[in-house]
Amino acid sequence: MKKYIPYLLFCLCVFSIAFIKNERINIDYQYQRNGGTYNAYTVFLVNDGKKSSYEFELVSNTALEKISSIMIRQQEKAYKINYELVNRPFLSDDKNLKSITVKLNLDKVLANATKCDGFIVFNLNNGDKIELPILPCKIKEASKS
C-alpha cells in the first residue's frame, strides 16, 4: 500500500493543476504620463462562474480617494457607466502609486460601440478627472474567447 502513495499524490497534483482556472484575465492596459503625473488602468475580464464582468484597476501617483462617476466617450456619444468598488489589494514597489479597483457593467457600451476608440473618464470626488484612451473593440474581442 505504501508504494502507491507517491503515485496517488502525483495524480492528485496533476488533476488539481488541470482544473485550475484563471478567473481574472488581463485584457488591456492604457497609461498616460504628463510631466510628473502618471495615470493608468488595467482591464481584467473576471469569470466567477455566473457571468463574466470587467474590473478596471485605476492607478495614479496623484491623490486617489474616491471615484464620483465614470463615463466613456466615443466621438459625440457619452455613456455613463454603472460601477461598484472592489476591495482588492494593490501591490507595487513604488510607494507613490495609489489604486482603486472598480467592477464595471460595459454591456451597453460594447453593444453600441460604433468606433474602436474612445476615452474613459474617471471623475474623482476632489473635482479632478482622469481621462485615458479606451479600445472597446479590443475589450469586446477579448471577452469572446
Side-chain angles (χ1 to χ4, degrees):
M1 177 70 176
K2 286 187 177 184
K3 68 179 183 176
Y4 294 109
I5 291 177
Y7 295 116
L8 180 62
L9 290 175
F10 175 76
C11 289
L12 286 173
C13 192
V14 168
F15 286 125
S16 66
I17 290 171
F19 287 106
I20 290 176
K21 169 171 98 169
N22 192 355
E23 295 182 359
R24 193 169 186 240
I25 303 166
N26 181 343
I27 58 175
D28 196 11
Y29 169 77
Q30 298 290 329
Y31 74 95
Q32 180 180 54
R33 288 186 190 273
N34 187 4
T37 305
Y38 172 78
N39 297 309
Y41 71 83
T42 304
V43 182
F44 296 96
L45 179 63
V46 180
N47 185 2
D48 60 2
K50 301 171 197 166
K51 183 181 177 187
S52 295
S53 61
Y54 302 96
E55 284 184 3
F56 278 59
E57 184 175 65
L58 177 63
V59 176
S60 181
N61 65 352
T62 61
L64 274 183
E65 292 179 23
K66 188 175 179 185
I67 296 174
S68 60
S69 67
I70 299 174
M71 295 183 64
I72 292 182
R73 265 193 1 247
Q74 285 195 296
Q75 292 182 338
E76 69 281 346
K77 292 186 180 183
Y79 303 96
K80 186 172 181 179
I81 306 299
N82 296 327
Y83 68 94
E84 63 184 68
L85 290 175
V86 177
N87 188 9
R88 202 176 282 283
F90 175 66
L91 303 173
S92 174
D93 57 348
D94 187 347
K95 300 295 181 193
N96 295 323
L97 294 179
K98 294 145 196 83
S99 169
I100 297 177
T101 303
V102 292
K103 187 175 186 179
L104 298 178
N105 182 352
L106 293 178
D107 295 339
K108 183 178 179 182
V109 174
L110 295 179
N112 295 325
T114 56
K115 301 287 181 185
C116 288
D117 61 345
F119 291 93
I120 185 165
V121 181
F122 297 93
N123 294 307
L124 305 177
N125 64 341
N126 63 2
D128 291 343
K129 71 173 142 178
I130 298 173
E131 188 171 319
L132 295 164
I134 189 169
L135 303 170
C137 294
K138 182 177 181 180
I139 295 170
K140 189 176 189 178
E141 191 63 35
S143 64
K144 290 179 183 178
S145 56

